Amino acid sequence: MRTGGGYPEDTTAPGDVRLRALLYVAFLLLLGAALTRFLVRHRGENLAPWVVSLAAALALLYVLEPLLGPGPTRRRYVWLGAIVAVWLALVILAPSFGWCAVPLFLIGLRTLPMPAAIALIALVTATSVIAHLRLAGRVDIDVLLAPPAIAAIAIAVFVQMDRQARRQRELIDDLIRTRRELAATERREGTLAERQRLSMEIHDSLAQGLSSQQMLLQAADRVWDANPSTARTHVLTATAIAEHNLTEARRFVHDLAPADLAGGGGLDDALRTLAARENGDRLTVHCHIDGTPTAPLPDRVQSALLRIAQGALANAREHSGATNAALALTYLDDQVVLDVSDDGHGFDPAAPDQGEPSPSRGHGLPAIRTRVRQLGGELTVESAPGEGTVLSAAIPLHPSPEV
């Protein structure tokens, strides 16, 4: 193979090495056949030592090609000129060596730019025709037409192979460029997905905790003078939530599991802890666990279900006006189902504004939908104005997460 300028590439693949070895063997066989024919027919002539010496020099020069290295170097041009000069001398002394012209075609095509290679091939072809006419002693139409035809076939085959190699290199370059663009796109998508994950994590943990603290402190302020003990209880509860938020923030920075899962008790204990923490004057939360998992739930599933419960309870506490809510976790053979219900004023799940986050509601339901979708699960929301809300997230135990 050669590059766009006509120079050979430094190919060391097993197929290239075998092809080069085959070309060397073919050339040496042609050279040996021509030398044998000459010696059989002209053994006693004075030209024999010269022919044998030139044939040996030509063979040696040919096998030295791998030592020249790739590229348009001066020594490669000198080497090619030496080979052509030795071959011309051989053909003048012994026309039988004209059959060695075919390998010279390939050498010229691999070494020189196409115009120079065609000029060299024309010279070699003309020399070969003249040598064979002299050997035949008469004008032979086969001798006149065969070498040019062989030269034309060699050029056509080489040009076609060169075009295919160029197209292959272009395809490889396109593939490499496409892979780089795909990697860059994946990095950008990963960055956006991570930003979305971070926003949901903040909404479902820190923002909800801060909202609870604000409500408790406002309640404490309202009863500060009339009922100091109740106010103190509100402040202590807000302090506990602040402590939990601090732990959550530290784990959030280190990208660890939610704080309620860090104790090692699993999702069941984390949901019970969440329900106990959300219990208060305005909202009573019950928790029910049904069944046991056949295998430990993956950490990402436990974390997502806990975040879903946190988000659903936050919506019930802050937006629905509910006084009672319930968490129900059910383990089935092929899936785990989390149900969150409340007795609030409800809403219309089909309303257009329920699909996107808003400044007043935060991520809420859209964040829950995203978490369920990423786990390959299904989210069902049953609600109507004035009738409360039931949210059900069914997560398969062997999901096919979104990529």
Side-chain angles (χ1 to χ4, degrees):
M1 300 303 297
R2 66 185 178 87
T3 62
Y7 303 107
E9 294 177 346
D10 185 15
T11 53
T12 57
D16 297 327
V17 173
R18 286 193 293 268
L19 178 60
R20 289 292 181 90
L22 180 61
L23 291 176
Y24 293 147
V25 171
F27 178 79
L28 293 177
L29 286 176
L30 285 173
L31 189 63
L35 180 61
T36 301
R37 186 176 187 276
F38 174 82
L39 292 177
V40 168
R41 297 190 177 188
H42 308 281
R43 180 179 302 176
E45 296 185 5
N46 296 330
L47 295 177
W50 291 99
V51 171
V52 171
S53 299
L54 289 173
L58 184 60
L60 179 61
L61 285 171
Y62 192 84
V63 299
L64 286 178
E65 182 185 7
L67 301 179
L68 301 176
T73 59
R74 178 178 298 180
R75 59 180 180 178
R76 178 169 286 277
Y77 292 140
V78 171
W79 167 80
L80 178 60
I83 281 187
V84 174
V86 173
W87 177 81
L88 289 173
L90 270 174
V91 172
I92 292 173
L93 296 178
S96 299
F97 286 92
W99 290 109
C100 297
V102 176
L104 295 183
F105 294 165
L106 298 179
I107 293 176
L109 289 168
R110 288 203 316 264
T111 305
L112 299 173
M114 186 56 67
I118 292 177
L120 175 63
I121 290 173
L123 172 64
V124 172
T125 302
T127 303
S128 179
V129 169
I130 294 172
H132 282 90
L133 289 175
R134 185 163 60 90
L135 183 64
R138 60 186 176 84
V139 176
D140 190 337
I141 192 66
D142 293 337
V143 173
L144 285 174
L145 297 181
I150 294 173
I153 292 173
I155 293 174
V157 170
F158 188 88
V159 169
Q160 181 63 23
M161 292 178 60
D162 183 68
R163 288 176 179 173
Q164 291 179 353
R166 287 174 183 270
R167 285 196 291 267
Q168 185 179 26
R169 287 195 296 271
E170 290 174 357
L171 289 174
I172 292 174
D173 292 340
D174 290 342
L175 177 60
I176 293 175
R177 182 169 56 254
T178 301
R179 291 179 61 183
R180 289 175 179 170
E181 293 174 355
L182 179 60
T185 301
E186 290 177 347
R187 285 194 296 270
R188 289 193 296 269
E189 291 180 351
T191 300
L192 293 175
E194 183 65 11
R195 290 177 62 182
Q196 184 182 29
R197 185 189 71 83
L198 292 176
S199 65
M200 290 190 300
E201 294 284 349
I202 293 173
H203 172 269
D204 293 342
S205 56
L206 303 182
Q208 292 175 9
L210 292 172
S211 176
S212 297
Q213 293 174 54
Q214 182 185 33
M215 294 173 62
L216 288 167
L217 293 175
Q218 288 174 347
D221 182 63
R222 286 194 298 269
V223 299
W224 190 269
D225 296 325
N227 195 341
S229 60
T230 301
R232 179 178 176 83
T233 301
H234 289 330
V235 171
L236 291 176
T237 304
T239 303
I241 293 176
E243 182 179 357
H244 175 80
N245 262 20
L246 180 59
T247 303
E248 190 79 28
R250 288 170 177 168
R251 294 186 180 277
F252 179 71
V253 170
H254 292 284
D255 199 25
L256 299 178
D260 289 332
L261 291 172
L267 180 60
D268 299 359
D269 288 347
L271 290 176
R272 293 189 182 99
T273 301
L274 173 64
R277 188 170 59 248
E278 291 293 332
N279 267 315
D281 295 338
R282 298 177 56 221
L283 182 65
T284 301
V285 181
H286 304 278
C287 182
H288 176 71
I289 309 296
D290 185 11
T292 56
T294 56
L297 294 179
D299 291 343
R300 65 191 303 266
V301 174
Q302 295 189 55
S303 178
L305 287 174
L306 179 58
R307 295 304 192 199
I308 290 171
Q310 290 175 337
L313 289 180
N315 285 341
R317 182 184 65 245
E318 299 174 16
H319 307 296
S320 73
T323 57
N324 290 279
L327 297 177
L329 184 68
T330 305
Y331 293 100
L332 302 177
D333 292 336
D334 58 347
Q335 63 182 355
V336 57
V337 181
L338 174 66
D339 296 310
V340 184
S341 60
D342 66 68
D343 60 357
H345 51 64
F347 65 98
D348 182 5
D353 61 350
Q354 299 302 323
E356 298 293 336
S358 65
S360 61
R361 293 186 60 88
H363 286 79
L365 189 58
I368 293 174
R369 292 188 189 278
T370 299
R371 291 186 188 277
V372 174
R373 186 173 61 250
Q374 289 174 344
L375 294 173
E378 182 179 356
L379 179 68
T380 303
V381 180
E382 298 179 2
S383 183
E387 297 185 7
T389 302
V390 178
L391 180 149
S392 179
I395 308 299
L397 297 181
H398 302 285
S400 299
E402 265 191 1
V403 177

